[in-house]
Amino acid sequence: MPFRKACGPQLANSPTVIVMVGLPARGKTYISKKLTRYLNWIGVPTKVFNVGEYRREAVKHYSSYDFFRPDNEEAMKVRRQCAMAALRDVKLYLTEEAGQIAVFDATNTTRERRGMILNFAKENGFKVFFIESVCNDPNVVATNVMEVKLSSPDYRDCNSTDAMEDFMKRINCYQASYQPLDPDDYDRELSLIKVIDVGRRFLVNRVQDHIQSRIVYYLMNIHVQPRTIYLCRHGESEFNLKGRIGGDSGLSNRGKKFAVALNKFVEEQNLKDLKIWTSQLKRTIQTAEALQLPYEQWKALNEIDAGVCEEMTYEEIREQHPEEFALRDQDKYYYRYPSGESYQDLVQRLEPVIMELERQENVLVICHQAVMRCLLAYFLDKSADEMPYLKCPLHTVLKLTPVAYGCRVESISLNIEAVNTHRDRPEEAKKGPNPLMRRNSVTPLASPEPTKKPRINSLEEHVAVSPALPGCVPQEVPTQMPGQNMNTSQKPS
């Protein structure tokens, strides 16, 4: 499809260049990488273009802060060439590589540099959104320098004291010519957000479209406080044992043992103000009950809906819906069960959960295989193609610790045996798409008149509340204790 004319009207879905602004050690790269991870996760193709990497490629050996002095004309010429090279790659990504958002990660501290970027965007029909990170707290800046900057390639052969001194002088080189964004006067026509003191305050100006509003919302929810997120599936269920997917089954005997072991594990972690979240399905609630702590139920954490295939084994699906079985194997992320959901649908459903996880500190999420895969893909920056095949075994806790530019993961088995519910990617699926592929259609190929099995027989039979935290239950869901009789089954992976 030919690219729109540069001088034509700006379309609602025109590609966007996000331009970072701010002095060194203000968290620009942290924001760039985290925001890019989020946008890719929700399905918006995004890539970071870090001008510092272009500079390190052009200048193999970094000597000192002198390179960044404003009166170093030769260095200034090199830095401008690096910025132009990055912008050329931005154009290539947005016009020929199906990119939708490019994050231009550099200091961009002068109006002259920002003007150059605005002209570049106008010539190519791109929208521009500025993100300026402002922080004058010397303790925050020093911490950022120690945790991130001193480990950069620039200081590979330098001791920490000398590196710290050099980097602070580098900041001073930028400080002399820094022109902050001025939304009240000079920059009043620009679309921008100023993130002040690591999210203590925000200033937003002229948001142009839906994606910019989502970016603003995301930036207003993230924080940098140390915390730990624990992800695990419910204990083994009765339908796990039978190989059935869907429904709302209770725990097996081994699943109950896992719940007890999880209680011991949580006690050993000795976490302050631990939040516990579950789905509204029986097996996660029974697992949480053993912890004897308050917990919250999220409908958004319910397992992927298998539609007409609920409560069936994979063998039964292969026999009764052979085309559906083949279609799901061909593209598991986009495939939607007839009258059910796809992994893509699940990501959209889980976005509020991610937002709230970003706001919280220590959280334990007791969920389901497909749900856990989606959450894990967000934190580990996994692609849509990888997501449906991430290994999330039963009776294993994944401990996620956010670090500077990513997330450290530790897998902890609680040594309670359980069935293996993981299905590897079929060899046929690795060969590429099939002409039969049906993406996100609610009309099944194999069943002209699907009859979706209900998740529950009636509202009165649904488990909904923990007696420890009655205020967390949605009003429309009546209450029932986890031990009471209900339809049983387990959600699909």
Side-chain angles (χ1 to χ4, degrees), residues 437-453:
M437 175 51 64
R438 165 180 52 78
R439 287 193 171 189
N440 288 352
S441 166
V442 296
T443 306
L445 290 182
S447 304
E449 295 181 5
T451 53
K452 178 181 173 183
K453 295 183 179 180

Side-chain angles (χ1 to χ4, degrees), residues 205-416:
N205 191 69
R206 287 190 177 273
V207 170
Q208 295 179 77
D209 56 26
H210 172 67
I211 196 64
Q212 290 183 11
S213 68
R214 290 180 81 167
I215 291 169
V216 167
Y217 180 52
Y218 180 73
L219 293 177
M220 294 178 74
N221 278 278
I222 63 176
H223 68 82
V224 295
Q225 300 303 316
R227 43 63 175 277
T228 304
I229 297 169
Y230 298 86
L231 302 178
C232 75
R233 294 170 64 187
H234 53 81
E236 180 188 73
S237 72
E238 293 291 346
F239 264 47
N240 282 144
L241 292 175
K242 298 175 182 178
R244 296 194 176 276
I245 64 176
D248 198 11
S249 67
L251 298 181
S252 68
N253 287 332
R254 293 190 302 197
K256 293 172 183 176
K257 289 180 181 178
F258 167 74
V260 173
L262 183 63
N263 177 40
K264 182 179 179 182
F265 172 80
V266 169
E267 289 178 349
E268 291 172 349
Q269 295 299 297
N270 193 27
L271 294 165
K272 180 183 178 183
D273 299 326
L274 176 67
K275 301 278 181 62
I276 300 172
W277 298 350
T278 75
S279 72
Q280 291 183 351
L281 298 178
K282 183 178 180 181
R283 53 197 182 276
T284 65
I285 293 172
Q286 287 184 336
T287 304
E289 282 288 327
L291 304 183
Q292 301 178 335
L293 292 170
Y295 60 87
E296 299 177 61
Q297 297 173 28
W298 286 69
K299 185 176 181 180
L301 286 171
N302 285 1
E303 181 59 306
I304 193 171
D305 190 336
V308 299
C309 297
E310 288 212 356
E311 302 183 12
M312 299 173 70
T313 65
Y314 284 115
E315 290 71 24
E316 290 170 344
I317 297 172
R318 189 199 302 266
E319 292 173 5
Q320 298 178 34
H321 306 288
E323 289 184 79
E324 296 300 327
F325 188 87
L327 286 169
R328 188 164 193 262
D329 277 349
Q330 285 166 20
D331 195 338
K332 196 173 178 181
Y333 178 80
Y334 288 105
Y335 170 83
R336 177 182 288 151
Y337 282 104
S339 300
E341 291 180 301
S342 65
Y343 269 85
Q344 186 184 42
D345 296 329
L346 193 53
V347 164
Q348 302 305 316
R349 167 150 65 88
L350 287 169
E351 188 176 0
V353 177
I354 288 295
M355 287 294 182
E356 196 57 35
L357 275 174
E358 287 290 1
R359 293 182 62 84
Q360 299 293 331
E361 294 185 5
N362 298 321
V363 182
L364 165 63
V365 182
I366 304 172
C367 54
H368 307 267
Q369 183 164 244
V371 170
M372 188 166 166
R373 283 170 172 162
C374 292
L375 297 177
L376 194 60
Y378 167 77
F379 286 106
L380 300 187
D381 197 16
K382 298 296 182 180
S383 68
D385 186 57
E386 297 172 287
M387 181 190 298
Y389 297 100
L390 294 176
K391 291 186 177 180
C392 299
L394 288 164
H395 301 176
T396 299
V397 179
L398 296 185
K399 180 179 180 181
L400 305 178
T401 306
V403 292
Y405 293 151
C407 196
R408 185 173 66 247
V409 60
E410 179 183 356
S411 179
I412 305 163
S413 171
L414 298 196
N415 298 318
I416 306 293

Side-chain angles (χ1 to χ4, degrees), residues 128-142:
V128 177
F129 186 71
F130 290 93
I131 300 175
E132 181 175 26
S133 181
V134 179
C135 181
N136 296 315
D137 185 332
N139 293 326
V140 173
V141 174

